[in-house]
Amino acid sequence: MLHIQGLSKQFGSKILFENANAHIGHRSRVALIGPNGAGKSTLIKMVMGFESPDSGEISRARHLTIGYLPQEVPKMSGRTILEETLRMDGRREDLLKTKEELEKAFSQKSDENDLERYGRILEELENLDEYRIESRAKAILGGMGFRSADFDRKLTEFSGGWLMRVALSRLLLMDPDLLLLDEPTNHLDLESLLWLEEFLKRNRGALLVISHDTGFLNKLVTEVLEIDQKHLWNYSGNLESYVIQKEERLKVLKAQYAGQQAKIAEIEAFVSRFGAKATKARQAQSRLKQLEKMDLIELPEDRATVRFRFPPAPHSGKDVVTVENAAVRFGEKLIFKNLNWLIRKGTRTAIVGVNGAGKTTLLKLLSQSLSPSEGSVKLGHEVKVGYYSQMQAETLNLKNTISEELESTAPDLPISQVRAIAGAFLFQGDSVHKKCGVLSGGEKARVALAKLLLSPSNFLILDEPTNHLDIEMSEWLENYLQNEALSILLVTHDRYFLD
């Protein structure tokens, strides 16, 4: 279905790919993994033709249909949700328009190529199940969390997260041969995520997915494609199998590397010892040629990991938050009422519920960034709140550099310590001078996390903290939260992280 051969790609001095190769078959279910900045999204953009490789080629099967979900919210018109979904990325409109044009042409003359093309269009429309398409669209939208009353509402009435669900819905309805999904779970609640998981399991097409959600990937994929050392490495099985296989591969690679280094040392010692002797000069030259022809084995670089101990927060009283008869209303809309809740020190609580149930509103209430319409919310003695919202990365001053953004959070820290913190979050060397506006989603999330943890907190309120974080960064955050004496309130659709 898709062949990647000899692919190379470079941005400035950064080489993403060097003679990389991969293959995706008709029923492949592939997780594309690698740290943030390794080139995952770039690879998908090259498959789509939005980016060009510096060398190599990406060849596709004839008549291959591809559905692509980017991380960014796509541009949409003023259509209703149902109308936009039925467009299926414009494919259905194109098919129906071409079918009509060909039918008009047939009334004047019959061309063999046009007849073949007409047959393919009819076949594709049949595959789309044209007569049941609206009911299928409504079923998919329902699975994505929309109510029947939403179907005729304009797209302009919805937030970016809901628009991403519309974009995903129209791709699922399109039912392409190959789905390319870049972080598809970031804007889903747990119910929609579970529905999507089941839908994709039943899907007949191939799948290439980027996701930090370990549980989601383990349920879906049968292959892992890793970007490492500028190459693409293929492993069979899910993420759990990948970890075992990679350890085995590295064990063999290290043994081969050690053997080769011993051989190189032996040759160099021989040449050094006998190169000047007339009787041994020919042998020395022969061994030097042997050395020149040798394909040198490279070991992967040790990946940088976050290493930093954040300033300790003061000990809080036993009662962290006391909520009495609280209600929240927005105009006529009641979110909840009669809420009575006592959160004790050291508790770790997950808030779950469908999108729109009021999870984020509840977190805002408890963080005191929202006042109750009725009742009261009181923080306990010495409680210091650290609130990470879904839109935390969007609160960064995009004109600031990373260094300036961190300094604004802790103005009393010396510059050397600010640089150390930036380095701990994998912003090393001159990268601290990057403007926040040019950072990727994952990089912005890392800056936002560093800012949050720089302010000593003993009560962390986290709203989808792993969105835009790669798997390694999510694991670091998980370990940090496990090892700290914190009270935690958490909203996340990431079941592995939640567990």
Side-chain angles (χ1 to χ4, degrees):
M1 182 174 281
L2 194 76
H3 291 280
I4 296 170
Q5 295 170 304
L7 191 75
S8 296
K9 183 68 178 177
Q10 184 171 348
F11 288 108
S13 60
K14 185 169 184 179
I15 300 171
L16 292 179
F17 301 101
E18 205 167 52
N19 197 30
N21 300 285
H23 162 78
I24 294 174
H26 282 277
R27 288 286 295 162
S28 295
R29 301 296 178 93
V30 186
L32 180 60
I33 67 169
N36 279 341
K40 300 186 295 293
S41 296
T42 301
L43 181 64
I44 284 186
K45 286 175 182 174
M46 284 194 285
V47 169
M48 289 299 298
F50 302 149
E51 292 271 1
S52 300
D54 297 334
S55 61
E57 63 175 356
I58 299 174
S59 54
R60 303 168 188 82
R62 197 175 174 208
H63 305 312
L64 177 71
T65 56
I66 301 178
Y68 168 52
L69 183 77
Q71 277 192 46
E72 304 81 22
V73 179
K75 289 179 181 176
M76 295 185 188
S77 70
R79 298 181 180 89
T80 67
I81 280 177
L82 184 59
E83 286 169 346
E84 185 64 35
T85 305
L86 287 169
R87 284 189 67 241
M88 292 184 294
D89 220 16
R91 181 62 184 158
R92 177 170 170 260
E93 285 180 349
D94 291 345
L95 288 170
L96 291 171
K97 184 180 177 184
T98 308
K99 175 176 173 281
E100 188 180 336
E101 287 170 354
L102 287 171
E103 284 170 347
K104 282 181 181 175
F106 291 153
S107 64
Q108 298 169 7
K109 63 183 177 68
S110 179
D111 182 272
E112 191 174 323
N113 289 334
D114 284 347
L115 283 169
E116 185 186 340
R117 191 175 167 208
Y118 186 71
R120 285 204 311 272
I121 287 170
L122 290 180
E123 187 180 344
E124 196 168 337
L125 285 169
E126 188 179 339
N127 288 337
L128 290 175
D129 202 359
E130 174 69 12
Y131 297 105
R132 289 182 56 248
I133 200 163
E134 188 167 319
S135 62
R136 284 174 54 230
K138 289 176 178 178
I140 289 169
L141 287 168
M144 285 285 101
F146 292 99
R147 298 163 301 179
S148 300
D150 295 327
F151 296 164
D152 294 323
R153 290 173 63 190
K154 296 285 187 184
L155 293 162
T156 48
E157 298 177 42
F158 291 88
S159 67
W162 286 101
L163 293 179
M164 289 300 289
R165 292 184 185 219
V166 175
L168 182 53
S169 297
R170 71 186 185 189
L171 283 188
L172 298 181
L173 183 65
M174 181 179 157
D175 193 22
D177 302 317
L178 173 62
L179 266 176
L180 305 176
L181 304 179
D182 195 349
E183 297 287 6
T185 66
N186 271 359
H187 300 282
L188 303 181
D189 56 36
L190 195 51
E191 286 198 7
S192 298
L193 188 148
L194 293 172
W195 180 90
L196 176 64
E197 206 172 79
E198 289 303 315
F199 185 96
L200 292 175
K201 277 184 192 174
R202 297 192 304 268
N203 196 340
R204 65 181 179 82
L207 174 69
L208 181 67
V209 58
I210 299 171
S211 177
H212 64 267
D213 189 328
T214 307
F216 180 72
L217 294 179
N218 274 330
K219 290 279 179 64
L220 274 181
V221 305
T222 55
E223 295 174 55
V224 173
L225 195 61
E226 182 187 29
I227 302 173
D228 189 26
Q229 294 173 278
K230 308 176 189 72
H231 293 287
L232 292 166
W233 303 89
N234 188 270
Y235 299 87
S236 60
N238 61 13
L239 278 187
E240 290 172 353
S241 302
Y242 147 78
V243 170
I244 296 165
Q245 290 173 62
K246 182 167 184 182
E247 283 177 2
E248 288 298 319
R249 182 177 77 82
L250 289 180
K251 198 183 292 181
V252 171
L253 189 67
K254 284 173 182 175
Q256 291 172 338
Y257 177 81
Q260 188 180 68
Q261 289 300 306
K263 183 72 175 172
I264 290 170
E266 181 189 317
I267 292 171
E268 287 175 341
F270 183 91
V271 171
S272 177
R273 187 175 176 189
F274 299 114
K277 289 191 177 182
T279 55
K280 299 279 189 177
R282 185 174 291 176
Q283 283 178 286
Q285 288 300 314
S286 173
R287 295 200 184 191
L288 272 177
K289 285 178 182 174
Q290 184 184 346
L291 196 61
E292 287 168 8
K293 289 178 182 176
M294 198 178 284
D295 287 330
L296 294 178
I297 296 168
E298 288 183 41
L299 289 178
E301 295 174 13
D302 288 332
R303 256 182 211 160
T305 54
V306 176
R307 297 180 186 278
F308 193 77
R309 299 301 299 170
F310 288 89
H315 290 288
S316 71
K318 288 184 179 177
D319 296 346
V320 175
V321 184
T322 306
V323 184
E324 294 182 342
N325 298 319
V328 173
R329 290 185 175 84
F330 295 111
E332 297 295 313
K333 188 175 181 182
L334 175 69
I335 308 301
F336 49 77
K337 64 178 181 177
N338 299 331
L339 176 63
N340 293 280
W341 194 9
L342 175 61
I343 298 177
R344 297 280 191 179
K345 180 181 178 179
T347 54
R348 281 122 191 275
T349 308
I351 309 286
V352 298
V354 296
N355 272 17
K359 299 188 299 294
T360 295
T361 301
L362 180 57
L363 295 193
K364 286 181 178 177
L365 184 75
L366 295 169
S367 69
Q368 297 200 318
S369 55
L370 176 70
S371 299
S373 307
E374 298 168 17
S376 65
V377 178
K378 293 176 183 173
L379 295 180
H381 179 67
E382 286 292 333
V383 171
K384 304 292 182 188
V385 177
Y387 176 42
Y388 185 94
S389 73
Q390 279 194 57
M391 302 302 168
Q392 190 80 14
E394 294 177 21
T395 64
L396 302 178
N397 184 335
L398 301 183
K399 293 180 181 177
N400 275 350
T401 64
I402 294 167
S403 181
E404 288 167 344
E405 196 65 13
L406 295 179
E407 284 174 48
S408 69
T409 304
D412 298 330
L413 279 183
I415 295 295
S416 59
Q417 201 165 342
V418 171
R419 292 290 292 261
I421 292 160
F425 274 79
L426 315 184
F427 298 109
Q428 285 143 353
D430 291 338
S431 66
V432 296
H433 301 306
K434 275 186 180 178
K435 298 279 187 185
C436 290
V438 303
L439 301 180
S440 68
E443 288 170 327
K444 285 177 182 172
R446 289 210 308 273
V447 175
L449 264 180
K451 285 185 67 177
L452 172 74
L453 299 176
L454 261 175
S455 306
S457 309
N458 48 35
F459 180 37
L460 284 180
I461 298 176
L462 307 172
D463 194 356
E464 299 288 4
T466 62
N467 276 7
H468 304 297
L469 297 184
D470 60 28
I471 290 170
E472 289 81 5
M473 192 68 200
S474 293
E475 285 176 354
W476 175 85
L477 180 60
E478 175 194 315
N479 291 329
Y480 172 79
L481 296 177
Q482 282 177 341
N483 294 328
E484 294 296 319
L486 298 166
S487 306
I488 298 172
L489 201 59
L490 175 69
V491 169
T492 181
H493 63 264
D494 187 332
R495 290 154 293 171
Y496 187 84
F497 186 82
L498 194 62
D499 288 344

